[in-house]
Amino acid sequence: MTDQPTRDRTRAYWDTRHRERDTLASGGHIGLDRPGNEIFYAQRLGTLLTLIGDLSSPAAPLFVLDAGCGKGHFARALARCGHRVDAFDASPEAVAQARAKGGGPRYDLAALADFRSPWPYDIVLCVDVLFHVLDDAEWSAALRNLASLVRVTGRLIVTDEEGPGLTPRGDYILHRPTDAYRTELEPLGLTHTLFRPYGFRENLVGFHVFTRTR
């Protein structure tokens, strides 16, 4: 498990990034300009809506959890589409800015492995977060906790590449293969049902969909 000084440095990095960069770059692609990030967010949101839908029923909207929500861009968009959205992030700066924007979601401050809920969710969503968790034990604990929040027939949607092995990129990214996710999630009753790549420029990341079957 990552030691406390490393966790503190990581939290400080994200707090600083959320404080100093604009709404899109802080949780988007720091190598893109504003128009590039607008396209990147729009393309990911469009794909998400093909996976989730814009509204299940006005009388019974989907109950969605956005884990590692950053400043709440996707959480607010899904709320506008009629879903009931809870969201959380480990960065106090990100959560403060998300709450200030309002827009419908309920926000909490928590790490991926620590968030608890009295109810399960139809959709648990974790966009571009897990591959920033470098420590394997911490990554496993986070993934297993997110899986525990998915109701039967519900879906866990996480993003990563689909490569054959571990792929580090820079200081804060470690991509893991699909089999690593299957190894953690299949014993918990979640089956890998779909991979949908972003299809954005050279980006190899996409949405992995796991459906709870038991």
Side-chain angles (χ1 to χ4, degrees):
M1 184 68 72
T2 305
D3 58 34
Q4 189 60 48
T6 300
R7 288 198 296 271
D8 289 344
R9 285 195 300 271
T10 300
R11 181 168 293 132
Y13 166 79
W14 285 106
D15 255 0
T16 300
R17 179 164 161 171
H18 284 298
R19 182 168 53 253
E20 295 182 352
R21 294 186 179 270
D22 69 28
T23 302
L24 298 185
S26 61
H29 194 310
I30 59 174
L32 296 175
D33 58 13
R34 177 78 184 194
N37 264 311
E38 287 175 348
I39 296 169
F40 186 40
Y41 270 88
Q43 189 156 344
R44 286 181 295 169
L45 178 59
T47 302
L48 266 178
L49 292 178
T50 67
L51 299 174
I52 298 174
D54 58 351
L55 185 64
S56 59
S57 163
L62 292 178
F63 203 8
V64 178
L65 176 66
D66 185 356
C69 64
K71 294 176 181 175
H73 182 91
F74 291 121
R76 288 189 297 277
L78 293 171
R80 288 195 301 271
C81 289
H83 301 304
R84 294 176 59 195
V85 182
D86 286 345
F88 71 91
D89 199 276
S91 165
E93 181 70 28
V95 171
Q97 293 195 38
R99 285 173 172 163
K101 289 181 180 295
R106 297 181 297 186
Y107 293 102
D108 199 1
L109 178 65
L112 292 177
D114 298 334
F115 179 81
R116 299 292 184 267
S117 172
W119 45 71
Y121 294 87
D122 299 294
I123 302 289
V124 174
L125 175 68
C126 191
V127 178
D128 292 0
V129 180
L130 285 165
F131 54 70
H132 290 297
V133 181
L134 306 185
D135 182 85
D136 286 336
E138 188 176 348
W139 172 83
S140 175
L143 189 59
R144 293 172 70 86
N145 186 50
L146 296 182
S148 74
L149 299 166
V150 181
R151 71 168 179 81
V152 176
T153 75
R155 286 166 288 166
L156 172 63
I157 302 176
V158 300
T159 64
D160 211 325
E161 294 186 357
E162 200 187 21
L166 296 174
T167 307
R169 300 190 192 281
D171 294 333
Y172 286 97
I173 293 176
L174 178 62
H175 292 294
R176 294 176 173 87
T178 308
D179 283 347
Y181 286 88
R182 286 195 177 108
T183 297
E184 293 290 336
L185 295 173
E186 286 181 353
L188 304 178
L190 287 99
T191 301
H192 190 260
T193 51
L194 179 69
F195 175 72
R196 184 73 56 81
Y198 289 166
F200 180 78
R201 299 185 182 179
E202 76 287 352
N203 199 307
L204 300 177
V205 177
F207 294 98
H208 289 276
V209 181
F210 290 86
T211 302
R212 179 173 289 287
T213 56
R214 57 179 171 83

